[in-house]
Amino acid sequence: MVRRAGNLANFEDFDESSVRTRPNRRGSRPRTKERPSYTNAVTARVVGVDRGRWRTIADEGTENERPVTAMRARALARTPIVPGDLVRLTGDTSGRTDTIARIVEVEDRTSFLRRSADDDDASERPLVANADTLVMVTALANPEPRGGMIDRCLVAAYVAGITPLLCLTKADLADPHGFLKKYAPLGVEHVTTHMNSDGTIAGIEALRERLSGHLSVLVGHSGVGKSTLINALVPGTDRATGHVNAVTGRGRHTSSSALALRLPENDGWVIDTPGVRSFGLGHVSPEELESAFDDLAPLMEECPRGCTHASADEGCALDTLVADGHAGSAGPARLASFRRLNDTLRTNDPWAL
């Protein structure tokens, strides 16, 4: 007679094989800490995101290159996947209509551009990955240029290790030289553009040459002309363009999501992003900004404990050291630029944009 396991007195008679066990509703496969190798996975570049589906280009640069739509594997539910990312795909990677692959891995990034909603909001909003050039697009007029926006983009670029490029549009409406003076000490490259009477864009060739061979991202307020530049850089793209409100001086959002586009003759990538009202730096620490100014960072070690190096900090040693020439001839201008960015980072002032 078979005894129940609970009868300890007759435990010796217990026949384990005769006891029925309830199947595991989550499956009977044993758990393991070993991760799958995905040796047969296909590498692809993310070019866009649309309602839980990622548009990718698989086998980029080969004769088998093809667009593939993919979804994210459950294991990557908390991993942001953005345009510019290089990912690994499994499943149906043929790219045929009505097929879908699965993103199982995100490869290591060379850069990761982020922003936050506000300065006091530390939650990150990822924008693009693997970009090496950040094109800060601003109009010289209509709408008026906002230096605070550029300062914040510079901070984000320096922290992410991305080279900034200032693109000034509508140069036929205002002289750019006065505006550029404040950024000269930082060594920020710049190009200027304006619309010709025949509908072509003066300066677009200089911009195209600068972006050649790079993965670039365009960032700026609505109405500054990002989509117009994209349409000229990548003919046939037909990104919607908008107008500036004559009352508010602000543009209307015409791009609703970030989109990576390949330059003609496979000469690099350019990513167009939606126009932003603000560029929060809640995810950036003051120490990260300090490390970006490697010529001033050693001098900061001479400052008293607790020094913020802000313009209002009277005990900061940077003023004396820079005035004595310890940062070279460009020291005073570099310090002024650092102070402006540092004050921007430390001040929660949405109107500064």
Side-chain angles (χ1 to χ4, degrees):
M1 183 176 68
V2 177
R3 304 291 183 182
R4 293 182 180 274
N7 190 341
L8 298 180
N10 300 295
F11 186 75
E12 298 82 1
D13 300 326
F14 173 61
D15 183 2
E16 184 178 2
S17 64
S18 65
V19 179
R20 294 182 178 179
T21 59
R22 181 178 299 175
N24 185 352
R25 63 183 177 85
R26 294 186 178 180
S28 58
R29 185 166 54 185
R31 293 184 179 181
T32 176
K33 292 184 179 180
E34 296 181 3
R35 299 183 61 185
S37 61
Y38 299 124
T39 54
N40 296 324
V42 174
T43 300
R45 184 181 299 279
V46 175
V47 297
V49 185
D50 183 18
R51 292 171 290 187
R53 295 291 184 266
W54 281 259
R55 286 174 287 167
T56 72
I57 299 295
D59 291 329
E60 177 186 345
T62 72
E63 60 181 11
N64 295 322
E65 179 178 300
R66 62 203 178 277
V68 176
T69 300
M71 61 182 293
R72 177 166 50 187
R74 183 180 299 177
L76 298 178
R78 296 183 179 275
T79 302
I81 304 175
V82 295
D85 263 324
L86 291 175
V87 298
R88 303 272 287 166
L89 304 178
T90 61
D92 192 334
T93 61
S94 65
R96 293 190 299 264
T97 304
D98 297 330
T99 62
I100 190 165
R102 187 163 59 113
I103 300 175
V104 294
E105 290 180 339
V106 179
E107 296 190 2
D108 292 339
R109 296 158 171 149
T110 58
S111 67
F112 193 41
L113 182 65
R114 303 158 293 164
R115 72 180 181 94
S116 62
D118 296 297
D119 290 341
D120 56 358
D121 181 1
S123 58
E124 300 177 358
R125 295 188 178 186
L127 295 178
V128 299
N130 298 319
D132 56 35
T133 304
L134 171 59
V135 184
M136 303 169 293
V137 184
T138 187
L140 289 166
N142 190 32
E144 294 298 318
R146 302 176 187 178
M149 177 67 173
I150 297 176
D151 290 345
R152 289 164 180 264
C153 287
L154 282 173
V155 172
Y158 290 149
V159 169
I162 302 175
T163 301
L165 172 67
L166 185 57
C167 180
L168 301 177
T169 62
K170 307 180 184 181
D172 54 326
L173 302 181
D175 188 344
H177 293 93
F179 186 77
L180 289 171
K181 283 183 179 179
K182 62 188 300 186
Y183 298 103
L186 291 175
V188 178
E189 295 180 78
H190 73 275
V191 294
T192 59
T193 68
H194 68 267
M195 189 70 71
N196 293 319
S197 58
D198 60 358
T200 60
I201 301 178
I204 195 65
E205 290 302 326
L207 178 60
R208 182 181 289 111
E209 181 179 353
R210 175 59 182 80
L211 303 185
S212 173
H214 294 273
L215 195 160
S216 309
V217 53
L218 274 63
V219 176
H221 285 295
S222 299
V224 297
K226 294 194 314 304
S227 295
T228 300
L229 293 176
I230 288 290
N231 291 338
L233 290 169
V234 189
T237 302
D238 198 26
R239 294 286 270 181
T241 58
H243 302 281
V244 177
N245 188 300
V247 177
T248 65
R250 293 179 175 178
R252 180 175 60 87
H253 293 288
T254 54
S255 302
S256 59
S257 61
L259 178 65
L261 298 163
R262 178 176 275 157
L263 293 172
E265 301 180 2
N266 297 336
D267 197 21
W269 291 87
V270 59
I271 302 178
D272 184 23
T273 61
V276 295
R277 297 291 188 195
S278 63
F279 203 104
L281 298 173
H283 63 289
V284 178
S285 69
E287 291 74 21
E288 289 176 311
L289 173 63
E290 293 169 10
S291 65
F293 285 77
D294 52 2
D295 53 342
L296 299 179
L299 306 183
M300 298 177 188
E301 298 178 1
E302 303 297 325
C303 291
R305 181 185 295 272
C307 180
T308 65
H309 316 300
S311 55
D313 196 331
E314 297 180 356
C316 182
L318 288 178
D319 297 278
T320 301
L321 293 172
V322 169
D324 290 343
H326 291 280
S329 59
R334 289 277 292 174
L335 177 58
S337 296
F338 166 77
R339 285 265 172 79
R340 187 178 70 253
L341 298 176
N342 190 36
D343 292 349
T344 297
L345 183 60
R346 293 178 180 276
T347 303
N348 179 23
D349 183 9
W351 298 106
L353 296 181

